[in-house]
């Protein structure tokens, strides 16, 4: 079992930055793919970014490419989503997840955090 806890969400103005953190506990996180997803009110949970077990491979959704960066620190059991140039349409609950496949599919992830709210508004 892996437990995931997100933090770092909040209210930010358009054009601002936030870094989300995902703290993993339980089984070692270094063997899992880590992903970030987001869900806006009334919408499906959508892929944002993912990173392989070593941190050497990443994939990012087109909507956030060039603005968001995913990283991880296996020694600390942490994952991160660095978000720059935030837009109102980035407003959502952001979830980190852990799975076995290098996949953008929400159904390929076994473990999920509780989510953290990001609101982009002036």
């Amino acid at each position: 079992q892996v437990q995931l806890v997100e933090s770092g969400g909040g209210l930010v103005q358009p054009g601002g930055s936030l870094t989300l953190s995902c703290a993993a506990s339980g089984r070692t996180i270094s063997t899992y793919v880590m992903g970030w997803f987001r869900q806006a009110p009334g919408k499906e949970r959508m892929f944002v970014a993912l990173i392989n077990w070593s941190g050497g491979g990443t994939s990012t959704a087109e909507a956030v490419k060039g603005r968001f960066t995913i990283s991880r620190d296996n020694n600390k059991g942490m994952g991160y989503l660095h978000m720059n140039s935030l837009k109102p349409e980035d407003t959502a609950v952001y979830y980190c997840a852990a799975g076995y496949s290098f996949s953008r599919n929400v159904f390929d992830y076994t473990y999920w955090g509780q989510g953290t709210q990001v609101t982009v508004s002036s």
Side-chain angles (χ1 to χ4, degrees):
Q1 289 282 345
V2 175
Q3 293 79 43
L4 303 172
V5 179
E6 302 95 335
S7 62
L11 173 64
V12 62
Q13 292 187 340
S17 299
L18 277 177
T19 292
L20 305 183
S21 299
C22 177
S25 60
R27 295 186 65 181
T28 177
I29 195 63
S30 61
T31 59
Y32 294 90
V33 172
M34 294 186 74
W36 285 93
F37 294 78
R38 67 186 183 186
Q39 189 166 18
K43 295 188 176 181
E44 295 182 349
R45 193 168 298 188
M46 302 294 292
F47 165 75
V48 176
L50 71 123
I51 187 167
N52 71 355
W53 68 272
S54 69
T58 62
S59 180
T60 308
E62 285 299 318
V64 304
K65 191 165 288 186
R67 299 188 297 122
F68 291 13
T69 303
I70 188 171
S71 65
R72 67 190 296 166
D73 185 337
N74 288 335
N75 290 329
K76 296 181 179 179
M78 296 294 295
Y80 304 98
L81 184 68
H82 311 276
M83 306 185 295
N84 297 313
S85 302
L86 283 159
K87 305 175 181 180
E89 51 263 43
D90 294 319
T91 296
V93 177
Y94 283 71
Y95 298 89
C96 74
Y100 302 99
S101 301
F102 194 79
S103 169
R104 296 183 170 202
N105 192 325
V106 65
F107 297 107
D108 286 330
Y109 288 80
T110 304
Y111 303 105
W112 291 85
Q114 82 291 348
T116 185
Q117 176 71 45
V118 173
T119 302
V120 185
S121 176
S122 55

